[in-house]
Amino acid sequence: MAKTYTPIATQTLTSSTGTVTFSSIPATYTDLVFVLNIKSTDAGIDTDVTGTFNSDTGSNYSWTRIYGDGTTAGAQRTSSQSAMRIGNQSGTGSSAYSPMILNIMNYSNTTTYKTMIGRPNNPARIVDAYVNLWRSTAAISTVTFNSTFAAGSTFTLYGILKA
Amino acid sequence: MAIRSLKTGTFSRSGLVGNPIIMPGSYESIASASPSGSTSFTFSSIPSTYSHLQIRYTGVSSYPLISSNLGAGTKSHSLYGYGTGVAAYAWDPLGGGMYVAIDGSSGNVSSGIIDILDYTNTSKNKTFRALHGRETNTADSSIHFASGFWNSTSAISSITITNNVAGSVAFGAGTTFALYGVN
């Protein structure tokens, strides 16, 4: 049996930035997995993280989430957005980094729209799960994350290849 | 020094003396299926050499059901959000399987990950946990947590995924399921 779950690239921020991009992603895997451990430079504990595929900023994204924030369990969804909703990260109001695992399924196929299911976590505020849809059959070669990322935030990309 | 495959372009570490020790990976691909046009499929003869199994899937599905050589299972539960609210369900096995999620509509792309821990341990009853999502850009979208239970300590050697309760709706074009073993 072939070993898989291969590290592709890692970015560890040495200074704050608003955009982190993984480009030229090889099309040789089945699924992609991003493991993030991130923090915002914003004050407070509640900063959204968004993302795009292949630099597409058209109204081609939608998402549904379930969440619990300590007092409320709920769900939310949006349609026809210009970016994915990755999750929510803590800022300078907390010492906690926010760990997130994002699964982009069958990312290089050219038959179906692309889905990403994720478990972002903001230990300072909320636990949730998302499903994102990118209404494109194009293979994904670039993933961009947008927020206010602090130095020390890490982004690691893995590839999983099916038998 | 890393070695780059001329075929795939991927990097791997070199085992040459002087390089850091390479530990063998613990996540292996076992089998895959592209069941488009079929109402069910089976991963059979699953090796007993791993600790855990993971199934990763995406495609067009209806009500994915999981069963195994242990039978349909005993119980499954789901917690899900559907955009404007959250709900929870518990099911006794239907149609020979346990629900991974309620999707309702064929023709919509769903994705999910199913974990089956300690699948060969003969001291433990078998369970699965799953994260499943269907997003359609309409209100017919949902994100699910699911768990299921087989009241049997036998090892799991085969897993069957059926597309709906009656087994009458085929998986759609582009559907893929992949089975992995974890040590």
Side-chain angles (χ1 to χ4, degrees), chain A:
Chain A
M1 310 300 175
K3 299 189 186 300
T4 184
Y5 217 118
T6 305
I8 298 173
T10 295
Q11 296 192 42
T12 300
L13 301 184
T14 57
S15 60
S16 61
T17 185
T19 301
V20 173
T21 298
F22 288 78
S23 57
S24 301
I25 297 172
T28 50
Y29 300 99
T30 306
D31 301 335
L32 298 176
V33 179
F34 276 97
V35 177
L36 279 54
N37 202 16
I38 57 177
K39 203 168 188 302
S40 172
T41 55
D42 290 352
I45 59 172
D46 182 1
T47 301
D48 287 342
V49 180
T50 61
T52 60
F53 291 142
N54 292 4
S55 304
D56 180 11
T57 57
S59 301
N60 299 315
Y61 304 90
S62 56
W63 51 265
T64 299
R65 73 187 278 236
I66 185 172
Y67 66 89
D69 65 7
T71 56
T72 303
Q76 184 183 7
R77 72 167 317 280
T78 63
S79 302
S80 301
Q81 302 293 296
S82 60
M84 295 179 288
R85 178 85 173 267
I86 303 296
N88 179 277
Q89 62 172 334
S90 60
T92 59
S94 168
S95 60
Y97 279 74
S98 299
M100 304 184 181
I101 298 179
L102 314 170
N103 296 272
I104 306 173
M105 313 297 281
N106 209 8
Y107 72 104
S108 62
N109 95 90
T110 55
T111 301
T112 64
Y113 291 162
K114 305 303 181 291
T115 58
M116 181 173 76
I117 49 176
R119 280 294 318 276
N121 297 285
N122 179 348
R125 181 181 175 275
I126 199 167
V127 60
D128 45 10
Y130 281 81
V131 54
N132 276 274
L133 176 71
W134 180 45
R135 295 191 314 283
S136 170
T137 57
I140 294 172
S141 60
T142 300
V143 179
T144 303
F145 299 98
N146 296 294
S147 186
T148 51
F149 300 112
S153 297
T154 59
F155 302 75
T156 302
L157 173 63
Y158 299 89
I160 296 176
L161 179 63
K162 66 180 174 69

Side-chain angles (χ1 to χ4, degrees), chain B residues 12 17 55 70 99 115 121 127 138 149 162:
Chain B
S12 59
V17 171
I55 300 171
L70 306 182
Y99 279 121
D115 294 316
N121 188 318
T127 59
T138 72
F149 169 60
T162 305

Side-chain angles (χ1 to χ4, degrees), chain B residues 144-165:
Chain B
H144 304 246
F145 295 105
S147 66
F149 169 60
W150 287 277
N151 190 16
S152 170
T153 58
S154 298
I156 291 176
S157 60
S158 68
I159 296 169
T160 298
I161 309 289
T162 305
N163 196 29
N164 73 328
V165 173

Side-chain angles (χ1 to χ4, degrees), chain B:
Chain B
M1 177 181 74
I3 297 174
R4 182 174 186 177
S5 167
L6 295 177
K7 179 179 180 181
T8 66
T10 56
F11 286 93
S12 59
R13 287 174 288 175
S14 166
L16 294 176
V17 171
N19 283 333
I21 295 172
I22 298 175
M23 298 302 295
S26 59
Y27 190 98
E28 298 183 359
S29 57
I30 299 174
S32 63
S34 298
S36 303
S38 299
T39 57
S40 69
F41 72 94
T42 298
F43 289 121
S44 59
S45 302
I46 298 172
S48 61
T49 50
Y50 303 99
S51 297
H52 316 298
L53 298 175
Q54 184 174 85
I55 300 171
R56 303 175 67 90
Y57 61 91
T58 188
V60 181
S61 65
S62 180
Y63 294 77
L65 303 174
I66 182 171
S67 59
S68 73
N69 57 293
L70 306 182
T74 303
K75 202 79 173 182
S76 60
H77 295 82
S78 172
L79 169 68
Y80 67 98
Y82 54 92
T84 58
V86 295
Y89 275 97
W91 302 281
D92 295 320
L94 297 174
M98 293 187 285
Y99 279 121
V100 174
I102 290 180
D103 265 358
S105 302
S106 61
N108 294 314
V109 177
S110 305
S111 293
I113 301 172
I114 303 169
D115 294 316
I116 305 174
L117 307 184
D118 292 330
Y119 71 105
T120 63
N121 188 318
T122 55
S123 298
K124 297 180 180 179
N125 293 317
K126 303 303 177 288
T127 59
F128 80 81
R129 46 166 267 176
L131 176 64
H132 173 98
R134 180 180 93 259
E135 177 53 49
T136 66
N137 198 43
T138 72
D140 188 19
S141 301
S142 56
I143 178 80
H144 304 246
F145 295 105
S147 66
F149 169 60
W150 287 277
N151 190 16
S152 170
T153 58
S154 298
I156 291 176
S157 60
S158 68
I159 296 169
T160 298
I161 309 289
T162 305
N163 196 29
N164 73 328
V165 173
S168 60
V169 178
F171 291 103
T175 301
T176 63
F177 284 78
L179 176 66
Y180 301 90
V182 183
N183 287 310

